[in-house]
Amino acid sequence: MTDGEGFPVEPSNCGYDEEEARSLGILLYSSYAYAGMPEEVRADVEHSWEQEGARVAAKVEERFPGIYAFTSYGVEN
């Protein structure tokens, strides 16, 4: 995977106050405009993020079957 400028994405180890210990986080998208989007636009954006998350999950499972679990969710920044 590459970032918006074409450079390889580097994962970061996350802990979130030990709620997700030993988890690996990859930020796919970030948008300050998200909170101000009209509801129908936000729904379309969320749907596209869900599709991208499903695509990444399928690739992880294909590459490492039964070893890793991938969860995707949006966060408001």
Side-chain angles (χ1 to χ4, degrees):
M1 290 177 28
T2 57
D3 65 16
E5 290 151 16
F7 295 105
V9 175
E10 293 191 24
S12 59
N13 290 317
C14 303
Y16 300 118
D17 297 325
E18 302 303 319
E19 292 175 18
E20 297 180 41
R22 299 177 49 102
S23 66
L24 181 66
I26 300 172
L27 177 64
L28 295 178
Y29 300 104
S30 176
S31 174
Y32 289 106
Y34 178 82
M37 291 178 183
E39 190 59 38
E40 62 276 4
V41 174
R42 188 185 294 191
D44 287 344
V45 168
E46 289 172 358
H47 179 70
S48 69
W49 288 348
E50 289 171 9
Q51 289 180 316
E52 185 72 3
R55 186 184 72 79
V56 172
K59 288 291 185 182
V60 168
E61 182 59 27
E62 176 185 306
R63 179 101 159 105
F64 303 101
I67 296 173
Y68 298 107
F70 178 86
T71 302
S72 153
Y73 51 89
V75 294
E76 195 169 326
N77 52 353

